[in-house]
Amino acid sequence: MKKEMAGKTFFSKKNNVRKKIAILLHSSEPNVFITTHQQPENSENNFSHRSSNASLPSPVMSSCSSPVYFMSPINQMPSPYSKSPWTLPHGRNSEESVIYNTGLIGSLIREEGHIYSLASSGDLLYTGSDSKNIRVWKNLMEFSGFKSSSGLVKAIIVFGNRIFTGHQDGKIRVWKYSDKKKKSYNRIGNLPRTRDYIKSSMNPNNYIEARRHRNVPWIKHYDVVACMCIDEEKGLLYSGSWDRTMKVWRISDSKCLESVNAHHDAINSVVVGFDGLVFTGSADGKVKVWRREFVGKTTKHLLVYTLLDQDSAVTSVVVNASQATVYAGFSDGLVNFWERKKQTFSHGGVLRGHKLAVLCLATAGNLLLSGSADNSICVWRSEGRGIHTCLSVLNSHTGPVKCLAVKNRNEKDHDRKDEEWIVYSGSLDNSVKLWRVSEQLA
């Protein structure tokens, strides 16, 4: 009897932890991002109290006993916080502001609500917020924009001349740049298409249980579309939702090919990786690896690995394909990574650079960037053999960093050996920051 009660108590505590994590991820208020790594306000190393744009974090060791080295970054004066569309660091013009290897180039502050999503395509930047607006920026100026009828914009993917947006209302909307003179974007459809949804709803066998006493057609998400990614080679779009499913769409005809019951809680990240693998991360604390294989006459995504299973929610997953490395950010402020070893994955270690939850990740060359609820962005460089150097910590946001996008600064200059990147960061402080980040220090 005592053992049974003890088991129930443990299960209840575990459920309580997951409920708290779910509240953390579902809320948009900055003050809800609290983890077990939170430090007192007077702590010397509290990231949110630093005034410099790039600062030096405290030295730590990775959990796999390999050191995480830190180098002194360049300090710069912060950009003034004003309401103009793009502001450059005070006292500098656009050319003078980028003389250092790593630092803030400009800031965009719009009174439209929290920034939840970013996408960079060529010289255009797309931003999504809880105002339901998708704004388009070019050369630090507002270029165009379009607005959905409902649902804040949780994810943006650009593929050719089409833009896919995932929304809080469970819809995936498709847009197209249609008029060069007016610089306008028109909505050209949804995923699924209306006729496909109606056709599917007419067959009782196509219904699944969404919530208690509620059935819906399997081809449609019924909760927040939190993440999307594209397999350009196969022409597939993947969408992950808080309804716990991953759906696979054929871009050519907007057909939903498959719905995978991937996790036991909200899916926060889906990414196409290497070797034909797809990675998902969820609030259930698991990172899963999927492969698309033939099953009979059709193809299905089958689970091939579960990389991690723990209480802390997985908030973001990214892949460095050239190094066959997978990174996952967690609500406890840690970043775990795995390296591909022949036919399996080996846990490479843990990166400790944040005091609060890691909310977003991005890779660029040998770099990993992690944005956090502690308002900072850590820039890590992979040195090989599981060793990562923290080059700098970017501090300028006054709210949690919710999304990141990266563009290669040297894509037109193939003779340059040092890689430099333009990094966009979106925050719940209603701003987008533009950074120059280098793999080398001055």
Side-chain angles (χ1 to χ4, degrees):
M1 184 65 180
K2 289 183 178 180
K3 289 182 178 180
E4 184 180 352
M5 290 299 293
K8 288 182 178 179
T9 302
F10 174 78
F11 185 75
S12 175
K13 288 182 178 179
K14 191 170 183 179
N15 276 346
N16 287 336
V17 170
R18 292 219 168 127
K19 285 180 181 178
K20 291 179 181 178
I21 291 171
I23 292 172
L24 180 151
L25 291 170
H26 284 54
S27 176
S28 63
E29 294 301 321
N31 60 359
V32 301
F33 296 97
I34 301 171
T35 73
T36 55
H37 284 67
Q38 187 172 4
Q39 299 295 319
E41 290 185 0
N42 60 355
S43 172
E44 290 182 353
N45 297 321
N46 194 320
F47 288 94
S48 61
H49 286 75
R50 292 178 182 152
S51 59
S52 60
N53 295 334
S55 55
L56 185 65
S58 301
V60 294
M61 299 290 288
S62 71
S63 65
C64 62
S65 298
S66 61
V68 180
Y69 298 108
F70 296 105
M71 296 182 181
S72 299
I74 302 298
N75 290 329
Q76 286 183 267
M77 293 297 293
S79 172
Y81 198 84
S82 70
K83 291 185 178 181
S84 60
W86 280 100
T87 59
L88 301 178
H90 184 64
R92 301 179 185 274
N93 59 37
S94 59
E95 295 298 324
E96 293 173 335
S97 64
V98 293
I99 60 174
Y100 301 117
N101 279 21
T102 295
L104 181 66
I105 296 177
S107 302
L108 165 66
I109 296 93
R110 301 286 296 187
E111 298 301 326
E112 290 187 330
H114 305 323
I115 306 297
Y116 280 94
S117 51
L118 295 171
S120 175
S121 177
D123 55 358
L124 298 179
L125 173 69
Y126 297 81
T127 62
S129 71
D130 54 10
S131 68
K132 306 169 191 173
N133 286 329
I134 299 95
R135 294 201 174 271
V136 189
W137 309 89
K138 183 177 182 179
N139 299 327
L140 307 186
M141 299 294 291
E142 187 165 351
F143 175 76
S144 182
F146 44 100
K147 184 176 183 178
S148 64
S149 57
S150 62
L152 66 86
V153 189
K154 295 286 289 184
I156 304 175
I157 291 288
V158 181
F159 183 67
N161 63 349
R162 279 178 284 182
I163 299 94
F164 300 87
T165 55
H167 298 260
Q168 190 178 29
D169 59 9
K171 294 182 180 180
I172 300 174
R173 295 174 169 89
V174 188
W175 314 79
K176 187 177 181 180
Y177 183 56
S178 58
D179 193 327
K180 292 184 179 180
K181 291 184 179 180
K182 296 182 179 180
K183 301 177 182 178
S184 63
Y185 289 78
N186 291 333
R187 181 175 164 186
I188 60 174
N190 303 312
L191 296 179
R193 296 178 299 181
T194 302
R195 66 173 179 267
D196 291 339
Y197 178 75
I198 294 174
K199 183 179 179 180
S200 177
S201 64
M202 296 175 67
N203 186 349
N205 294 328
N206 288 331
Y207 281 76
I208 59 173
E209 186 177 0
R211 295 186 181 93
R212 195 172 183 180
H213 307 305
R214 182 190 174 191
N215 294 332
V216 296
W218 64 268
I219 68 170
K220 185 180 184 298
H221 285 300
Y222 63 87
D223 207 338
V224 177
V225 178
C227 50
M228 296 186 295
C229 67
I230 282 182
D231 186 332
E232 295 187 11
E233 183 179 342
K234 295 184 174 67
L236 299 176
L237 171 73
Y238 292 84
S239 59
S241 170
W242 288 357
D243 65 12
R244 300 172 292 181
T245 68
M246 173 182 70
K247 298 192 188 300
V248 187
W249 312 83
R250 188 164 56 207
I251 297 176
S252 60
D253 59 3
S254 301
K255 183 179 180 181
C256 185
L257 301 178
E258 187 182 359
S259 179
V260 183
N261 294 318
H263 289 271
H264 297 296
D265 207 336
I267 297 177
N268 292 317
S269 190
V270 58
V271 59
V272 173
F274 40 82
D275 300 336
L277 301 176
V278 179
F279 302 85
T280 57
S282 166
D284 64 9
K286 295 180 181 179
V287 179
K288 292 186 176 182
V289 188
W290 309 83
R291 180 183 285 117
R292 189 172 183 239
E293 297 181 355
F294 280 100
V295 178
K297 295 181 180 180
T298 62
T299 57
K300 291 186 177 181
H301 284 78
L302 304 179
L303 179 65
V304 291
Y305 302 105
T306 297
L307 297 183
L308 195 65
D309 182 3
Q310 62 177 34
D311 286 334
S312 298
V314 182
T315 56
S316 182
V317 178
V318 295
V319 168
N320 186 323
S322 63
Q323 298 183 0
T325 304
V326 183
Y327 298 92
F330 289 81
S331 61
D332 59 7
L334 302 179
V335 177
N336 282 266
F337 66 96
W338 296 263
E339 298 170 323
R340 180 76 157 168
K341 301 293 184 182
K342 295 182 179 179
Q343 298 302 315
T344 187
F345 285 89
S346 173
H347 185 253
V350 177
L351 305 181
R352 293 179 171 88
H354 295 287
K355 303 297 182 182
L356 300 178
V358 174
L359 301 181
C360 52
L361 297 172
T363 56
N366 294 319
L367 298 181
L368 169 74
L369 298 108
S370 56
S372 170
D374 63 19
N375 308 347
S376 71
I377 304 165
C378 284
V379 182
W380 309 86
R381 183 176 64 198
S382 173
E383 310 290 354
R385 294 179 295 179
I387 298 174
H388 289 72
T389 299
C390 185
L391 298 182
S392 59
V393 178
L394 309 180
N395 286 296
S396 187
H397 284 293
T398 59
V401 181
K402 197 69 177 64
C403 47
L404 294 166
V406 182
K407 173 187 174 182
N408 192 334
R409 182 178 174 83
N410 300 333
E411 57 188 358
K412 295 181 181 180
D413 189 356
H414 301 290
D415 295 331
R416 294 194 59 162
K417 295 182 180 180
D418 57 318
E419 290 285 0
E420 291 183 353
W421 308 90
I422 296 297
V423 176
Y424 303 96
S425 58
S427 169
L428 301 188
D429 64 8
N430 300 357
S431 76
V432 176
K433 304 292 183 183
L434 174 65
W435 310 85
R436 177 186 177 184
V437 176
S438 174
E439 294 189 17
Q440 305 295 328
L441 291 173

